[in-house]
């Protein structure tokens, strides 16, 4: 099926909750509807999109009345609508594809990065150097596919209703010279320009801030409109990518981001730090 849309994810969560409220196991739902237990599991985890008649059967068993019934039918129709990724000519890793689908429908992204410039703020040359350097085993074609996808993602910042981005970086992210001095200087200049957008906030956590809660790793919190469902936390690590949806996890990462925001330099002071680092990279 490919990466789930945000609305399919919300529909799955709604159906899980309705079954629990009805105090039914998947086996009991199977007995009353004939829907295979494995199929029901896949529906409830957004791995498949239910057919309209399947949804109707589930709503009947769960005794769902209007207007909730119509709301979920509408959600099913909307769940088939995909973003630009479905026309992307090359395959991307499943988790990355899911991330892109979620990001394309998010209203706001809170992004903390330890070592890299956030993907939404990267230049093409920096992205190419970061992707190839971060995963030396990638073939050149795979690197270029990911660079292209990263560049297309950035349209979210300038669309009619732009994505709101709050990016916080450790100072290491701008100090580490990725791709050489020229590429890094170009990247920092770009970062300063894009930080001037009214919907983009950029803050730096300086080295002299000492230990801080972001030192355990980078993460992203994505928030959506009411119609698209609850927030998602995305954590990227060497052990694998994780999507966290439990309220406790979301609250924990929001709290970490709040602490980072309070301990970081102001946006204007952050811009001064970035400009100073860029100046050090200029020849002569």
């Amino acid at each position: 099926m490919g990466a789930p849309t945000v609305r399919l994810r919300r529909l799955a969560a709604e159906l899980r909750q309705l079954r629990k409220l009805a105090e039914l196991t998947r086996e009991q739902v199977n007995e009353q509807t004939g829907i295979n237990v494995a199929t029901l599991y896949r529906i409830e985890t957004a791995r498949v999109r239910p057919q309209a008649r399947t949804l109707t059967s589930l709503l009947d068993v769960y005794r769902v009345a209007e207007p909730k019934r119509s709301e979920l039918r509408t959600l099913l129709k909307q769940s088939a609508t995909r973003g630009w990724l479905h026309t992307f000519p090359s395959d991307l890793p499943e988790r990355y594809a899911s991330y892109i689908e979620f990001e394309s429908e998010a209203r706001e992204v809170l992004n903390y990065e330890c070592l890299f410039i956030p993907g939404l703020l990267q230049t093409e040359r920096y992205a190419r150097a970061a992707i190839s350097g971060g995963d030396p085993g990638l073939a050149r074609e795979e690197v270029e596919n990911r660079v292209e996808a990263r560049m297309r993602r950035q349209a979210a910042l300038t669309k009619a209703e732009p994505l709101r981005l709050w990016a916080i970086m450790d100072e290491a992210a701008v100090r580490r010279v990725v791709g050489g001095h020229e590429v890094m200087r170009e990247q920092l200049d770009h970062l300063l320009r894009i930080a001037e957008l009214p919907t983009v906030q950029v803050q730096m956590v300086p080295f002299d801030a000492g230990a801080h809660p972001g030192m355990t790793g980078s993460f992203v919190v994505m928030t959506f409109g009411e119609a698209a469902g609850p927030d998602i936390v995305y954590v990227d690590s060497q052990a694998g990518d994780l999507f966290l949806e439990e309220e406790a996890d979301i609250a924990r990462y929001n709290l970490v981001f709040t602490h980072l925001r309070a301990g970081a330099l102001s946006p204007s002071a952050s811009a001064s730090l970035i400009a100073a680092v860029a100046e050090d990279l200029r020849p002569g």
Side-chain angles (χ1 to χ4, degrees), residues 6 21 46 50 75 92 111 127 134 171 205 207 223 243 247 270 280:
V6 172
L21 288 173
L75 196 58
L92 294 169
N111 189 183
E171 186 173 342
V205 181
F207 286 147
T223 63
F243 289 104
E247 288 185 9
S270 296
D280 289 341

Side-chain angles (χ1 to χ4, degrees), residues 174-217:
V174 296
R175 291 286 182 186
R176 183 173 298 279
V177 179
V178 174
H181 283 208
E182 181 183 345
V183 170
M184 194 65 195
R185 187 175 64 250
E186 175 188 67
Q187 172 61 71
L188 296 179
D189 288 342
H190 173 73
L191 185 57
L192 289 170
R193 287 193 299 272
I194 206 164
E196 294 178 355
L197 292 174
T199 51
V200 176
Q201 293 279 357
V202 173
Q203 286 184 270
M204 303 299 306
V205 181
F207 286 147
D208 61 14
H212 60 80
M215 293 175 69
T216 54

Side-chain angles (χ1 to χ4, degrees), residues 8 14 22-23 40 55 77 87-88 116-117 122 158 169 210 238 240 246 270:
L8 181 60
E14 292 270 11
E23 299 183 342
L40 183 57
L55 178 63
K77 293 177 183 178
T87 62
F88 195 69
F116 290 104
I117 305 298
Q122 291 179 7
T158 54
M169 289 166 274
Q238 290 289 348
E246 296 296 329
S270 296

Side-chain angles (χ1 to χ4, degrees), residues 9 41 56 103 166 223 247:
R9 171 179 158 267
Y41 170 79
T56 297
E103 182 185 75
W166 198 310
T223 63
E247 288 185 9

Side-chain angles (χ1 to χ4, degrees), residues 229-277:
D231 299 353
I232 297 176
V233 172
Y234 172 78
V235 181
D236 183 8
S237 73
Q238 290 289 348
D241 304 345
L242 297 174
F243 289 104
L244 307 176
E245 303 180 55
E246 296 296 329
E247 288 185 9
D249 291 322
I250 293 167
R252 177 161 54 92
Y253 277 94
N254 272 313
L255 180 61
V256 169
F257 198 86
T258 297
H259 281 293
L260 288 169
R261 188 166 54 196
L265 298 174
S266 68
S268 59
S270 296
S272 296
L273 172 60
I274 295 167
V277 176

